[in-house]
Amino acid sequence: DTEVTQTPKHLVMGMTNKKSLKCEQHMGHRAMYWYKQKAKKPPELMFVYSYEKLSINESVPSRFSPECPNSSLLNLHLHALQPEDSALYLCASSQPWANTGELFFGEGSRLTVL
Amino acid sequence: AQKITQTQPGMFVQEKEAVTLDCTYDTSDQSYGLFWYKQPSSGEMIFLIYQGSYDEQNATEGRYSLNFQKARKSANLVISASQLGDSAMYFCAMREGRGSTLGRLYFGRGTQLTVWP
């Protein structure tokens, strides 16, 4: 079982809706990530939080708004999305000081924008 | 230039046989890390194996081994005794810099492995 839990697993929303994706980890990791993955493509980095502070924003449109309420939780707020935003959204976590730095991923949230 | 290149879009292997998935990388950093992830159709990215740039021995994890050839900048994944459950997309990835930095992971395009009975 994955130690990074994402909800919901599937989400369908209209372009005018507001929704949120949630991610939770209990491994004590202090870095958390959002990736976007289109079908048959590799994941693309969106945001990185380190110690609950946003440290990397890969020029993501403002209709995606991340939030890190505490060290275990990561949210991605969605508003006024476009159909091309339909994708698998993966959350990941890691230990910033780990020698290897591997990321642990959740199962993802499959988003469909109508 | 792509930082990670996986030249095999698809690979097929018979159950119980070994298979090698190719990965080459491009970096000017002396310190970097190489990873392999497995992604089944369910979507989760599963970490398989890690190789650090200063590691002299090839990494091994159960049936997975990483054939690290630093001079050729290659980091091929070898899966021994393939199983039907190994059918998945496999991504090679690289982190530049030391692990304690928050370097992003650069992913290759992936190789779809199909194991047949």
Side-chain angles (χ1 to χ4, degrees):
Chain A
D1 288 343
T2 181
E3 295 183 80
V4 178
T5 304
Q6 291 187 241
T7 55
K9 287 192 172 15
H10 299 274
L11 178 63
V12 179
M13 60 186 291
M15 289 190 285
T16 58
N17 292 156
K18 284 185 181 181
K19 297 285 185 184
S20 296
L21 305 181
K22 297 183 185 304
C23 175
E24 189 170 6
Q25 59 89 11
H26 293 290
M27 294 179 282
H29 290 170
R30 302 306 298 273
M32 296 186 77
Y33 309 74
W34 280 114
Y35 279 83
K36 173 183 177 180
Q37 187 179 24
K38 302 285 274 185
K40 308 290 186 189
K41 299 286 188 183
E44 298 174 355
L45 183 65
M46 300 175 73
F47 303 104
V48 180
Y49 273 83
S50 175
Y51 295 91
E52 295 91 70
K53 293 193 188 317
L54 183 65
S55 61
I56 295 176
N57 176 343
E58 291 286 270
S59 302
V60 178
S62 60
R63 57 185 184 269
F64 295 91
S65 175
E67 178 196 21
C68 190
N70 60 56
S71 60
S72 301
L73 292 174
L74 184 66
N75 298 323
L76 186 62
H77 302 298
L78 315 170
H79 172 55
L81 294 193
Q82 305 296 311
E84 58 265 28
D85 296 323
S86 298
L88 179 69
Y89 289 84
L90 291 162
C91 173
S93 68
S94 73
Q95 206 60 290
W97 57 81
N99 184 47
T100 55
E102 69 264 31
L103 270 59
F104 295 84
F105 286 84
E107 291 188 352
S109 293
R110 290 192 186 275
L111 173 67
T112 302
V113 182
L114 301 176
Chain B
Q2 284 192 353
K3 289 194 177 282
I4 294 287
T5 302
Q6 293 180 254
T7 57
Q8 306 155 315
M11 287 286 285
F12 294 85
V13 65
Q14 190 170 21
E15 199 176 9
K16 299 187 181 135
E17 297 294 311
V19 63
T20 298
L21 306 184
D22 294 342
C23 173
T24 57
Y25 59 93
D26 182 26
T27 182
S28 56
D29 282 10
Q30 295 300 308
S31 179
Y32 52 89
L34 297 158
F35 306 81
W36 277 93
Y37 282 86
K38 170 185 178 182
Q39 188 176 39
S41 56
S42 61
E44 182 188 359
M45 295 280 284
I46 302 167
F47 166 69
L48 296 178
I49 197 166
Y50 166 82
Q51 180 84 39
S53 58
Y54 295 118
D55 295 339
E56 295 184 353
Q57 303 274 351
N58 285 342
T60 60
E61 288 287 348
R63 295 186 298 111
Y64 304 107
S65 60
L66 199 152
N67 184 0
F68 182 46
Q69 297 188 42
K70 197 169 182 176
R72 298 179 60 185
K73 293 191 173 179
S74 75
N76 298 339
L77 177 70
V78 180
I79 304 175
S80 63
S82 298
Q83 302 172 356
L84 295 178
D86 293 335
S87 294
M89 181 72 86
Y90 288 80
F91 290 100
C92 180
M94 177 177 66
R95 167 191 48 74
E96 292 178 314
R98 293 178 299 115
S100 59
T101 63
L102 273 180
R104 58 181 60 79
L105 281 188
Y106 297 98
F107 285 90
R109 292 182 175 273
T111 295
Q112 180 68 46
L113 176 67
T114 302
V115 181
W116 50 285

